[in-house]
Amino acid sequence: MSSTVRLQPEALHRVGYGLYVVSSRRNEDSANGQIANALMQVSGEPMAVAVCLNKKNLTHEYVSASRLFAASILSEETPLPFIGKFGFKSGRDIDKLAGVETLTGVTGVPIVTQHATACLEVEVERELDVWTHTLFVGRVVGARVLNDARPMSYAFYHDVKRGVTPRSAPSYVPHQDKEEASVSKYKCIVCGYIYDPSAGDPDSGVAPGTAFEDLPDDWVCPVCGAGKSEFEKVEE
Ligand code: FE
């Protein structure tokens, strides 16, 4: 076995994750949520989970202060714009929970139920500083199954939904967006989403087989909301 390759970032693409909205609140009036993929159960007795959040994110600030968070496990049917709202927008600019279906459980943190298949409420008891992120570990104080939809894995999000990873995610790898070139694929320069004509953008009503040039002028990136002018052709 060769030992010449020491660090192949692509190996990390094979680590499995899910796709979650993690929400928290500062007080009665301000709450926020963000997409997280690094969440896992870490103990059975007590039932405990850990989530890894970027220190720059507003949700990180709220979890640090309140020691509470909720996690919504997104289903495979979740449309890209919904993920984009929580993953590529900041709660410092918009109220991300406005117009989103939520419920209030035992902690008072709004729990996103829209497009979720199950949800958890957590009281943080430990935290670990991990460079750019903080790993928050806490006891599950609420948990419920919302429906029978299949939970979305990160691989499904990438391969089927054609989603992208923001730079603030713990699993972000700088050259992941390299894509096999094709004459008519276009890339969003804001978030890295690739528009592939063969896939179209069904979540926005664009049928597979629609060329980028034929998209309506008011079409926007399904992930981050950028306009057509923010796209550049993917070179062969
Ligand atoms: Fe985008």
PDB file of all heavy atoms in Angstrom, residues 88 164 187-194 220-227 230-231, ligand 1:
ATOM      1  N   PHE A  88     -27.852  30.015   3.461  1.00  0.00           N
ATOM      2  CA  PHE A  88     -27.035  31.017   2.772  1.00  0.00           C
ATOM      3  C   PHE A  88     -27.433  32.449   3.088  1.00  0.00           C
ATOM      4  O   PHE A  88     -26.906  33.384   2.515  1.00  0.00           O
ATOM      5  CB  PHE A  88     -27.080  30.785   1.262  1.00  0.00           C
ATOM      6  CG  PHE A  88     -26.255  29.598   0.843  1.00  0.00           C
ATOM      7  CD1 PHE A  88     -26.827  28.337   0.784  1.00  0.00           C
ATOM      8  CD2 PHE A  88     -24.911  29.738   0.544  1.00  0.00           C
ATOM      9  CE1 PHE A  88     -26.073  27.230   0.416  1.00  0.00           C
ATOM     10  CE2 PHE A  88     -24.152  28.637   0.173  1.00  0.00           C
ATOM     11  CZ  PHE A  88     -24.723  27.380   0.109  1.00  0.00           C
ATOM     12  N   VAL A 164     -25.310  22.824  -2.489  1.00  0.00           N
ATOM     13  CA  VAL A 164     -23.897  23.156  -2.281  1.00  0.00           C
ATOM     14  C   VAL A 164     -23.624  23.416  -0.803  1.00  0.00           C
ATOM     15  O   VAL A 164     -24.537  23.616  -0.013  1.00  0.00           O
ATOM     16  CB  VAL A 164     -23.486  24.387  -3.120  1.00  0.00           C
ATOM     17  CG1 VAL A 164     -23.527  24.045  -4.587  1.00  0.00           C
ATOM     18  CG2 VAL A 164     -24.386  25.566  -2.824  1.00  0.00           C
ATOM     19  N   LYS A 187     -22.700  28.471 -13.263  1.00  0.00           N
ATOM     20  CA  LYS A 187     -22.430  28.429 -11.825  1.00  0.00           C
ATOM     21  C   LYS A 187     -22.751  29.759 -11.169  1.00  0.00           C
ATOM     22  O   LYS A 187     -22.405  30.823 -11.691  1.00  0.00           O
ATOM     23  CB  LYS A 187     -20.941  28.103 -11.625  1.00  0.00           C
ATOM     24  CG  LYS A 187     -20.507  28.097 -10.172  1.00  0.00           C
ATOM     25  CD  LYS A 187     -19.063  27.649 -10.073  1.00  0.00           C
ATOM     26  CE  LYS A 187     -18.596  27.686  -8.641  1.00  0.00           C
ATOM     27  NZ  LYS A 187     -17.302  27.001  -8.482  1.00  0.00           N
ATOM     28  N   CYS A 188     -23.426  29.703 -10.012  1.00  0.00           N
ATOM     29  CA  CYS A 188     -23.718  30.908  -9.231  1.00  0.00           C
ATOM     30  C   CYS A 188     -22.411  31.358  -8.570  1.00  0.00           C
ATOM     31  O   CYS A 188     -21.800  30.589  -7.828  1.00  0.00           O
ATOM     32  CB  CYS A 188     -24.773  30.607  -8.178  1.00  0.00           C
ATOM     33  SG  CYS A 188     -25.051  31.984  -7.047  1.00  0.00           S
ATOM     34  N   ILE A 189     -22.001  32.603  -8.847  1.00  0.00           N
ATOM     35  CA  ILE A 189     -20.730  33.063  -8.281  1.00  0.00           C
ATOM     36  C   ILE A 189     -20.877  33.440  -6.807  1.00  0.00           C
ATOM     37  O   ILE A 189     -19.910  33.619  -6.104  1.00  0.00           O
ATOM     38  CB  ILE A 189     -20.128  34.244  -9.084  1.00  0.00           C
ATOM     39  CG1 ILE A 189     -21.095  35.414  -9.147  1.00  0.00           C
ATOM     40  CG2 ILE A 189     -19.739  33.795 -10.482  1.00  0.00           C
ATOM     41  CD1 ILE A 189     -20.504  36.649  -9.824  1.00  0.00           C
ATOM     42  N   VAL A 190     -22.132  33.529  -6.338  1.00  0.00           N
ATOM     43  CA  VAL A 190     -22.348  33.865  -4.932  1.00  0.00           C
ATOM     44  C   VAL A 190     -22.214  32.630  -4.037  1.00  0.00           C
ATOM     45  O   VAL A 190     -21.503  32.638  -3.040  1.00  0.00           O
ATOM     46  CB  VAL A 190     -23.733  34.513  -4.730  1.00  0.00           C
ATOM     47  CG1 VAL A 190     -23.985  34.793  -3.254  1.00  0.00           C
ATOM     48  CG2 VAL A 190     -23.850  35.789  -5.550  1.00  0.00           C
ATOM     49  N   CYS A 191     -22.885  31.524  -4.432  1.00  0.00           N
ATOM     50  CA  CYS A 191     -22.911  30.372  -3.530  1.00  0.00           C
ATOM     51  C   CYS A 191     -22.294  29.102  -4.111  1.00  0.00           C
ATOM     52  O   CYS A 191     -22.069  28.138  -3.392  1.00  0.00           O
ATOM     53  CB  CYS A 191     -24.348  30.071  -3.084  1.00  0.00           C
ATOM     54  SG  CYS A 191     -25.349  29.256  -4.351  1.00  0.00           S
ATOM     55  N   GLY A 192     -22.052  29.093  -5.418  1.00  0.00           N
ATOM     56  CA  GLY A 192     -21.437  27.913  -6.007  1.00  0.00           C
ATOM     57  C   GLY A 192     -22.413  26.908  -6.597  1.00  0.00           C
ATOM     58  O   GLY A 192     -22.014  25.897  -7.168  1.00  0.00           O
ATOM     59  N   TYR A 193     -23.713  27.197  -6.497  1.00  0.00           N
ATOM     60  CA  TYR A 193     -24.719  26.300  -7.086  1.00  0.00           C
ATOM     61  C   TYR A 193     -24.493  26.200  -8.591  1.00  0.00           C
ATOM     62  O   TYR A 193     -24.198  27.190  -9.248  1.00  0.00           O
ATOM     63  CB  TYR A 193     -26.117  26.858  -6.789  1.00  0.00           C
ATOM     64  CG  TYR A 193     -27.234  26.215  -7.591  1.00  0.00           C
ATOM     65  CD1 TYR A 193     -27.800  25.013  -7.187  1.00  0.00           C
ATOM     66  CD2 TYR A 193     -27.718  26.822  -8.753  1.00  0.00           C
ATOM     67  CE1 TYR A 193     -28.829  24.435  -7.927  1.00  0.00           C
ATOM     68  CE2 TYR A 193     -28.740  26.252  -9.496  1.00  0.00           C
ATOM     69  CZ  TYR A 193     -29.290  25.053  -9.075  1.00  0.00           C
ATOM     70  OH  TYR A 193     -30.298  24.479  -9.792  1.00  0.00           O
ATOM     71  N   ILE A 194     -24.625  25.003  -9.120  1.00  0.00           N
ATOM     72  CA  ILE A 194     -24.475  24.795 -10.562  1.00  0.00           C
ATOM     73  C   ILE A 194     -25.854  24.584 -11.182  1.00  0.00           C
ATOM     74  O   ILE A 194     -26.588  23.686 -10.760  1.00  0.00           O
ATOM     75  CB  ILE A 194     -23.613  23.549 -10.849  1.00  0.00           C
ATOM     76  CG1 ILE A 194     -22.266  23.636 -10.128  1.00  0.00           C
ATOM     77  CG2 ILE A 194     -23.464  23.334 -12.356  1.00  0.00           C
ATOM     78  CD1 ILE A 194     -21.118  24.198 -10.892  1.00  0.00           C
ATOM     79  N   VAL A 220     -34.207  33.129 -10.122  1.00  0.00           N
ATOM     80  CA  VAL A 220     -33.093  33.370  -9.196  1.00  0.00           C
ATOM     81  C   VAL A 220     -32.484  32.038  -8.766  1.00  0.00           C
ATOM     82  O   VAL A 220     -33.123  30.984  -8.870  1.00  0.00           O
ATOM     83  CB  VAL A 220     -33.529  34.158  -7.932  1.00  0.00           C
ATOM     84  CG1 VAL A 220     -33.984  35.559  -8.312  1.00  0.00           C
ATOM     85  CG2 VAL A 220     -34.617  33.413  -7.163  1.00  0.00           C
ATOM     86  N   CYS A 221     -31.263  32.116  -8.278  1.00  0.00           N
ATOM     87  CA  CYS A 221     -30.571  30.933  -7.774  1.00  0.00           C
ATOM     88  C   CYS A 221     -31.437  30.277  -6.691  1.00  0.00           C
ATOM     89  O   CYS A 221     -31.828  30.940  -5.730  1.00  0.00           O
ATOM     90  CB  CYS A 221     -29.212  31.330  -7.197  1.00  0.00           C
ATOM     91  SG  CYS A 221     -28.381  29.964  -6.369  1.00  0.00           S
ATOM     92  N   PRO A 222     -31.765  28.989  -6.855  1.00  0.00           N
ATOM     93  CA  PRO A 222     -32.645  28.345  -5.876  1.00  0.00           C
ATOM     94  C   PRO A 222     -32.015  28.214  -4.492  1.00  0.00           C
ATOM     95  O   PRO A 222     -32.711  27.995  -3.513  1.00  0.00           O
ATOM     96  CB  PRO A 222     -32.917  26.971  -6.493  1.00  0.00           C
ATOM     97  CG  PRO A 222     -31.785  26.728  -7.427  1.00  0.00           C
ATOM     98  CD  PRO A 222     -31.357  28.073  -7.934  1.00  0.00           C
ATOM     99  N   VAL A 223     -30.697  28.357  -4.430  1.00  0.00           N
ATOM    100  CA  VAL A 223     -30.028  28.204  -3.137  1.00  0.00           C
ATOM    101  C   VAL A 223     -29.881  29.532  -2.413  1.00  0.00           C
ATOM    102  O   VAL A 223     -30.249  29.654  -1.248  1.00  0.00           O
ATOM    103  CB  VAL A 223     -28.645  27.536  -3.310  1.00  0.00           C
ATOM    104  CG1 VAL A 223     -27.894  27.501  -1.993  1.00  0.00           C
ATOM    105  CG2 VAL A 223     -28.821  26.122  -3.860  1.00  0.00           C
ATOM    106  N   CYS A 224     -29.359  30.560  -3.112  1.00  0.00           N
ATOM    107  CA  CYS A 224     -29.051  31.809  -2.400  1.00  0.00           C
ATOM    108  C   CYS A 224     -29.882  32.989  -2.854  1.00  0.00           C
ATOM    109  O   CYS A 224     -29.815  34.054  -2.244  1.00  0.00           O
ATOM    110  CB  CYS A 224     -27.566  32.123  -2.507  1.00  0.00           C
ATOM    111  SG  CYS A 224     -27.084  32.736  -4.126  1.00  0.00           S
ATOM    112  N   GLY A 225     -30.647  32.844  -3.943  1.00  0.00           N
ATOM    113  CA  GLY A 225     -31.504  33.947  -4.374  1.00  0.00           C
ATOM    114  C   GLY A 225     -30.829  34.952  -5.293  1.00  0.00           C
ATOM    115  O   GLY A 225     -31.429  35.974  -5.632  1.00  0.00           O
ATOM    116  N   ALA A 226     -29.603  34.685  -5.728  1.00  0.00           N
ATOM    117  CA  ALA A 226     -28.914  35.610  -6.639  1.00  0.00           C
ATOM    118  C   ALA A 226     -29.584  35.584  -8.012  1.00  0.00           C
ATOM    119  O   ALA A 226     -30.122  34.558  -8.442  1.00  0.00           O
ATOM    120  CB  ALA A 226     -27.441  35.226  -6.766  1.00  0.00           C
ATOM    121  N   GLY A 227     -29.531  36.715  -8.734  1.00  0.00           N
ATOM    122  CA  GLY A 227     -30.145  36.808 -10.064  1.00  0.00           C
ATOM    123  C   GLY A 227     -29.301  36.150 -11.140  1.00  0.00           C
ATOM    124  O   GLY A 227     -28.158  35.733 -10.895  1.00  0.00           O
ATOM    125  N   GLU A 230     -25.661  36.951 -11.877  1.00  0.00           N
ATOM    126  CA  GLU A 230     -24.619  36.483 -10.943  1.00  0.00           C
ATOM    127  C   GLU A 230     -24.091  35.096 -11.341  1.00  0.00           C
ATOM    128  O   GLU A 230     -23.353  34.473 -10.589  1.00  0.00           O
ATOM    129  CB  GLU A 230     -25.160  36.402  -9.514  1.00  0.00           C
ATOM    130  CG  GLU A 230     -25.798  37.667  -8.990  1.00  0.00           C
ATOM    131  CD  GLU A 230     -24.791  38.754  -8.687  1.00  0.00           C
ATOM    132  OE1 GLU A 230     -23.655  38.414  -8.301  1.00  0.00           O
ATOM    133  OE2 GLU A 230     -25.133  39.930  -8.858  1.00  0.00           O
ATOM    134  N   PHE A 231     -24.513  34.623 -12.505  1.00  0.00           N
ATOM    135  CA  PHE A 231     -24.075  33.297 -12.951  1.00  0.00           C
ATOM    136  C   PHE A 231     -23.009  33.421 -14.024  1.00  0.00           C
ATOM    137  O   PHE A 231     -23.044  34.345 -14.838  1.00  0.00           O
ATOM    138  CB  PHE A 231     -25.271  32.504 -13.507  1.00  0.00           C
ATOM    139  CG  PHE A 231     -26.070  31.826 -12.420  1.00  0.00           C
ATOM    140  CD1 PHE A 231     -26.886  32.564 -11.566  1.00  0.00           C
ATOM    141  CD2 PHE A 231     -26.011  30.448 -12.243  1.00  0.00           C
ATOM    142  CE1 PHE A 231     -27.617  31.943 -10.553  1.00  0.00           C
ATOM    143  CE2 PHE A 231     -26.738  29.820 -11.245  1.00  0.00           C
ATOM    144  CZ  PHE A 231     -27.536  30.563 -10.395  1.00  0.00           C
TER     145      PHE A 231
HETATM  146 FE    FE B   1     -26.483  30.971  -5.443  1.00  0.00          FE
END
